Amino acid sequence: MKLETLKELNAERAARRPVIIITDTSNGEQRLVKAKDIAADPLRAELSKQLRMGKSGNVEVAGKKLFLNVYAPTAKLVIVGAVHISQALAPLARSLDYDVTVVDPRTAFASPERFPDVPLVAEWPDVALPPLNIDPYTAFVAVTHDPKIDDPALMHAFDRGCFYIGALGSRKTHAKRAERLRAQGAKDSDIARIHAPIGLDIGAVSPAEIAVAIMAEITAQLRLPPKEKEEAA
Amino acid sequence: MLNRDEDILQAAEAWQKQGHGVALATVVDTWGSAPRPAGSSLVINDEGTFLGSVSGGCVEGAVVTEALDVISSGQPKMLEFGVADETAWNVGLSCGGTIRVFVEKVG
């Protein structure tokens, strides 16, 4: 790998932008494709498929065996609400290699004793969220069950293109939430993006099982192609 | 502590800047049960220091030796590792899979 390519790769990764390195394994020839250039690339079909899967692999093009190494940004999970579900969700997400942050202005909830090894921000969403740089490789969940905290957090997430947004609450609670968010200027398309009730319907009862349901739903949103994604949602 | 890909690649750049010879080894193919997926990588410098992994620790020793060769020759190499051959004491994968590892010089 040329030093220039390596530098460019590191710079893109630091900026949390996906990159694919294409290597001809017969002679070591290599090129780097940035996410924004995929649409115009001759290998766009192969590149976008591998990128969507977040998976590296080989393709054969015109008799050449090429290795496509996908460097997707590390996925982040932002959890608003240092509640019981979050205590199970944070370590679960970490075991799946997510960078996890928990936000809750209520210091009794957001205590290091309850959340060992997890970055914890005991601030209101308007202070806590902007520095977290929520982006399309971020999953966002609001689970405080308190509109004062969840609502402004969701309003922030709408603008950031998160690949997943989920909020705790029954259908009835969610209908009221939708009304409140609309009154604050949220678009119907924003509200439609919220997964609520949160998590896949697997009959989860305990906080730990709800965490599994949430993580399964997040995984489906991250990995499934658009059509199957709609069916799973 | 586990090293993520981003740490490994940054180490590669840092070593290069310090004047070290550096090689990058990447899993490009796996068959059967393999410990690390395609895309997993390992960087090695000319002192034999390495970060990352291409297997569960089975073949790293051999990869480092080959990488030192690649650093001095500048020629990339494709390595293949299968099941450990007990009689010959060759390195291999005890899990029964096969992997191919592409080793290239950085710079």
Side-chain angles (χ1 to χ4, degrees):
Chain A
M1 184 179 286
K2 288 191 183 116
L3 185 58
E4 280 316 303
T5 311
L6 177 63
K7 279 183 181 167
E8 213 174 346
L9 173 59
N10 280 336
E12 290 301 296
R13 301 210 74 194
R16 288 181 60 79
R17 286 189 293 261
V19 173
I20 300 176
I21 302 268
I22 305 174
T23 307
D24 182 336
T25 47
S26 66
N27 58 17
E29 257 175 50
Q30 222 160 29
R31 66 189 181 94
L32 177 150
V33 184
K34 296 179 184 177
K36 67 174 170 64
D37 300 327
I38 288 177
D41 198 276
L43 295 179
R44 56 188 165 269
E46 290 85 353
L47 294 174
S48 41
K49 183 180 162 221
Q50 297 296 135
L51 179 60
R52 193 182 63 234
M53 297 294 294
K55 238 177 158 178
S56 303
N58 291 284
V59 291
E60 216 172 299
V61 179
K64 279 188 179 176
K65 210 178 172 202
L66 304 175
F67 178 64
L68 308 184
N69 204 354
V70 176
Y71 295 91
T74 304
K76 290 199 283 195
L77 171 65
V78 173
I79 306 172
V80 175
V83 298
H84 205 158
I85 292 171
S86 319
Q87 283 180 287
L89 182 59
L92 178 60
R94 280 174 60 105
S95 76
L96 295 170
D97 285 337
Y98 282 70
D99 279 334
V100 181
T101 310
V102 175
V103 172
D104 199 321
R106 303 166 300 179
T107 47
F109 285 79
S111 74
E113 288 76 18
R114 286 161 50 82
F115 291 89
D117 311 323
V118 179
L120 209 54
V121 189
E123 296 281 359
W124 287 87
D126 61 328
V127 178
L129 297 180
L132 296 181
N133 294 321
I134 290 163
D135 64 13
Y137 283 86
T138 305
F140 186 93
V141 302
V143 290
T144 68
H145 238 306
D146 181 343
K148 283 200 304 300
I149 305 168
D150 281 359
D151 289 2
L154 290 166
M155 292 297 284
H156 179 86
F158 291 151
D159 298 333
R160 300 302 182 108
C162 311
F163 73 88
Y164 175 89
I165 299 178
L168 193 66
S170 64
R171 278 169 223 291
K172 218 169 133 188
T173 316
H174 184 58
K176 283 187 199 152
R177 168 167 45 224
E179 255 173 59
R180 288 194 309 271
L181 293 172
R182 230 173 257 126
Q184 287 173 59
K187 294 191 289 274
D188 283 344
S189 58
D190 291 333
I191 292 163
R193 295 195 50 218
I194 305 174
H195 291 261
I198 197 169
L200 288 189
D201 189 1
I202 55 170
V205 175
S206 67
E209 288 170 358
I210 295 169
V212 170
I214 296 172
M215 219 49 236
E217 195 169 52
I218 291 173
T219 308
Q221 287 301 307
L222 181 66
R223 300 295 187 207
L224 287 179
K227 192 166 160 264
E228 282 90 332
K229 208 183 285 188
E230 269 169 38
E231 284 162 13
Chain B
M1 197 190 125
L2 281 173
N3 298 105
R4 297 203 221 193
D5 283 347
E6 50 252 58
D7 308 328
I8 296 165
L9 295 167
Q10 266 154 20
E13 194 180 324
W15 282 342
Q16 176 80 33
K17 278 184 190 148
Q18 289 159 15
H20 282 290
V22 181
L24 177 64
T26 309
V27 178
V28 294
D29 255 326
T30 67
W31 295 271
S33 129
R36 300 270 288 140
S40 305
S41 60
L42 166 75
V43 296
I44 309 107
N45 71 20
D46 51 12
E47 290 175 339
T49 308
F50 74 94
L51 283 173
S53 75
V54 291
S55 76
C58 315
V59 302
E60 271 71 7
V63 171
V64 169
T65 311
E66 295 286 347
L68 293 174
D69 224 43
V70 168
I71 291 172
S72 51
S73 76
Q75 290 305 308
K77 261 189 197 181
M78 188 69 85
L79 311 175
E80 189 168 325
F81 299 96
V83 183
D85 181 345
E86 283 175 38
T87 31
W89 294 100
N90 278 340
V91 294
L93 301 172
S94 47
C95 52
T98 303
I99 60 173
R100 284 205 305 153
V101 178
F102 184 69
V103 186
E104 60 189 315
K105 188 176 180 174
V106 175

